[in-house]
Amino acid sequence: MDTMMSRVWAYFWLPETKYVIVAIVVFALLSLRLLPKERRRVGGTVAVFCVCLVGQLFGAILEALDYSRVAVMVHELFVIGSGMALFRLVAIFVFRSILPRVGIVTVRIAEDIIVLVVYAAFILARLHIVGLDPSSLLTTSALITAVLAFSMQDTLGNVLSGVALQLDNSLRVGDWIKLDDLTGRVVQIHWRQTTIRTRNSEVVIVPNSQLMRGKFTVFGRADIRAWPWRRWVWFNVTYDSPPTLVIQKVEATISTAEIQNVAREPAPTCVLMEFGPGYGRYALRYWMLDPQPDDPTDSAVRVHIFAALQRAGMQLAVPEQSLHITKENDAYRESVRRREIDRRMADLRKLELFSGLQEEELRTIGERMVYAPFACGDVIFHQGDAPHWLYLLAVGEAEVWMDLPDHSRQLFRSVHAGSTFGEKGVLTGEARRASVIARTDVVCYRLDQSTVEEVIRSRPEIAEAIAEILARREIEMDNFVRQFSGAPADGPATHPKAGILAMIKDFLEL
């Protein structure tokens, strides 16, 4: 009995066994201490190693019972298993603990390939030790490998695609991607397929070869916090609201509001995208920090947009059908026209240029005023243009710029609501002496030359009052030009009242 136990122990306890057991214990304890997330895998690997030790003992018992051929096969099989368990523990410790601490991050498939190469080298070495020539085994398996490769083209394509995806680092676990109509987060990248979890918690399995053949969009990564995703929120506003005012109100609201998951930088922008039937189509473009709650964040942004438009008295354009039945006749249309003329006349009475006109003259002008809105930055007319219109500024603010002889451009003055400009050109025929640019959105009314001429011809004494106003403005402009030309500041006015009046009479043939 003692002899048999001695044979069993001698066959089981190899010279390197104690070192392997010590290595297993050391790496297992270190991994359990430093890698709490890998405890399950470490525990499983240690369990496999223990099973392999039991298997080696069983092989030793078979050897003691003189089942030598079977004992060798069983013993070597479990020796290979215990060696692979040791290499697995070492790989876990090295790839999960050592390399990340020195700044080296290895993709999972690369780790698996390295471990498989080590496994193959260890197996070939053990086969050589027991007297089996590995080269003959490789030669025999070459034909089988070719047949398997031909019959498993799709599977091999997926495997190679998975290797390529991770080696070139184009896709990572935790990435938010869009593939055709699928949007979700990458939760696993296996050898054959990639697992994507959508926002609805649906798990979608995508073959790796499909990812390699097509294109996919990565719009967020877990390890990169500063990766905002631009979103578009569309809304329609009726033409009653000026586009620049809509853009200004919406941008100001979203930029200053505390909306969760909306980035401060880059700042939100609102743009007018197109003109629709009865409305302008706008888009607010903002940057989202976390792609997961996309719909709730869009909803919060829409709530702020709606509130901002309501505060500004602007109306969202929604699809609707309204049937307005109005019995329009000549009397009704005349009433609407009369109310509009009365409103225009009230505005004309506030203007210095027309303060001396009688009621009928104001009515004539009011009937012929043409509505002319300009957006911020529009050039109302250029310096040197031929005069065709006299402008009445009803809403907003404009600036008068002069191009001087030294080729510089200077701001002469600002024109506010309730003022007129462009009078001299219409009354004397001179080209424009300055350019007028809308500083804000403005609403103008313009009068053609024939209307102004008709009013003055009917009452020529009006020309004298107008000439006094124009002469005063002309003196201001000449003094402004002298500041940049070096001429004496107290030089005589180039066009006093008498000169302006003569020019008006000559041009209008009074």
Side-chain angles (χ1 to χ4, degrees), residues 269-280:
T269 57
C270 183
V271 290
L272 174 61
M273 298 300 297
E274 61 183 1
F275 297 107
Y279 61 84

Side-chain angles (χ1 to χ4, degrees), residues 94-232:
V94 171
F95 287 105
R96 301 287 193 277
S97 180
I98 300 300
L99 293 183
R101 292 175 186 273
V102 297
I104 301 176
V105 179
T106 308
V107 295
R108 183 64 181 273
I109 289 182
E111 174 188 339
D112 293 341
I113 292 175
I114 294 173
V115 173
L116 286 176
V117 171
V118 174
Y119 286 168
F122 174 67
I123 293 172
L124 293 177
R126 290 303 303 181
L127 293 177
H128 181 73
I129 291 174
V130 298
L132 181 62
D133 186 6
S135 60
S136 62
L137 181 63
L138 293 175
T139 304
T140 305
S141 61
L143 180 60
I144 299 175
T145 302
V147 173
L148 290 176
F150 181 77
S151 61
M152 299 174 64
Q153 294 182 55
D154 292 339
T155 301
L156 289 176
N158 289 328
V159 170
L160 293 176
S161 298
V163 174
L165 283 172
Q166 291 212 32
L167 289 181
D168 64 14
N169 209 26
S170 58
L171 198 61
R172 307 177 189 174
V173 173
D175 286 356
W176 282 94
I177 69 169
K178 183 175 182 180
L179 176 66
D180 297 331
D181 58 346
L182 172 66
T183 300
R185 194 168 195 170
V186 178
V187 293
Q188 287 181 334
I189 302 177
H190 295 287
W191 286 81
R192 191 183 65 83
Q193 81 278 340
T194 295
T195 305
I196 300 174
R197 185 183 298 275
T198 68
R199 294 185 179 89
N200 298 326
S201 294
E202 300 168 340
V203 177
V204 181
I205 307 299
V206 181
N208 290 332
S209 59
Q210 181 178 342
L211 292 172
M212 291 298 294
R213 286 198 302 266
K215 65 178 182 179
F216 56 87
T217 303
V218 179
F219 56 87
R221 280 190 167 164
D223 57 338
I224 302 179
R225 292 296 180 186
W227 191 319
W229 177 32
R230 191 167 78 166
R231 300 282 292 175
W232 294 64

Side-chain angles (χ1 to χ4, degrees), residues 334-363:
E334 178 62 24
S335 175
V336 173
R337 189 184 73 86
R338 189 164 51 250
R339 286 198 299 269
E340 176 64 19
I341 297 301
D342 290 342
R343 186 183 63 81
R344 294 182 180 183
M345 290 174 61
D347 292 335
L348 289 172
R349 292 189 187 98
K350 301 175 185 178
L351 301 177
E352 180 186 14
L353 189 66
F354 301 105
S355 59
L357 299 183
Q358 297 178 356
E359 195 74 10
E360 287 303 318
E361 294 164 343
L362 290 175
R363 184 171 298 277

